[in-house]
Amino acid sequence: MQEKSVLEQENVADTYDEPSYIIVDKNALCDIFKFTFCGICNQSTLKLEFGHKYGFSHQLKLICKTCSEQKMECFTSPKLEKKSKNTSTPFDVNVRAVHTFLAISGGHASVEKFCMFLNMPLMSSKTFNEIKFYINSCFPNCVELCT
């Protein structure tokens, strides 16, 4: 009997009703797939590639380097509902991050320091301000209360 690859097995990971985040080193995330076999070519050449980034949300692609099969593609955060024609559709993690930095009276300068100390890609001030506008359109008094 042939064993199933990790990707073919049932998903036994915990699931949550709402998004739930952890901070993970990219190398540790890539190492998860280092010895995982591709279900098509049976080689352990799966590689996690990081695509576009939108604030703190990143596009992930799992690709077999032997047979070029793309196993999956996703973002590290779900998108929220579009609230108006004047706002873009933000990722949940970005809204939570901006809301947090506003609540602790940090603003974008604090986001810069946070990213610098964690060696993370920076969320642009443009994205920060767009999300601040989104939060204000959803919760009109929130931005004033947080600042």
Side-chain angles (χ1 to χ4, degrees), residues 10 15 51 67 74 79 137:
E10 286 186 39
T15 57
C67 68
C74 67
K79 276 193 166 189
S137 69

Side-chain angles (χ1 to χ4, degrees), residues 3-108:
E3 288 186 37
K4 289 184 176 182
S5 75
V6 171
L7 296 173
E8 295 170 324
Q9 295 175 9
E10 286 186 39
N11 182 5
V12 294
D14 291 337
T15 57
Y16 302 91
D17 292 336
E18 295 181 10
S20 177
Y21 300 99
I22 60 171
I23 295 176
V24 180
D25 175 28
K26 285 182 174 182
N27 294 318
L29 196 55
C30 290
D31 285 349
I32 291 172
F33 301 103
K34 196 180 274 186
F35 301 106
T36 305
F37 289 90
C38 172
I40 304 236
C41 68
N42 207 29
Q43 299 295 310
S44 61
T45 55
L46 294 179
K47 182 177 181 190
L48 189 61
E49 293 185 354
F50 298 87
H52 300 288
K53 84 170 197 63
Y54 302 92
F56 292 127
S57 184
H58 294 261
Q59 179 185 37
L60 302 177
K61 294 179 184 181
L62 186 61
I63 299 171
C64 178
K65 291 300 179 184
T66 302
C67 68
S68 301
E69 178 78 15
Q70 181 172 310
K71 301 298 182 180
M72 72 87 165
E73 178 180 349
C74 67
F75 282 91
T76 57
S77 172
K79 276 193 166 189
L80 298 175
E81 292 180 28
K82 190 173 181 104
K83 295 294 179 183
S84 73
K85 286 188 268 183
N86 298 333
T87 61
S88 59
T89 308
F91 287 94
D92 179 77
V93 70
N94 293 334
V95 172
R96 289 174 187 263
V98 169
H99 194 191
T100 299
F101 282 103
L102 291 173
I104 59 175
S105 301
H108 188 261

Side-chain angles (χ1 to χ4, degrees), residues 95 98-100 102-103 131-132 134-147:
V95 172
V98 169
H99 194 191
T100 299
L102 291 173
I131 293 169
K132 187 175 169 182
Y134 175 88
I135 291 170
N136 197 38
S137 69
C138 297
F139 311 102
N141 297 326
C142 180
V143 173
E144 290 81 21
L145 292 173
C146 291
T147 57

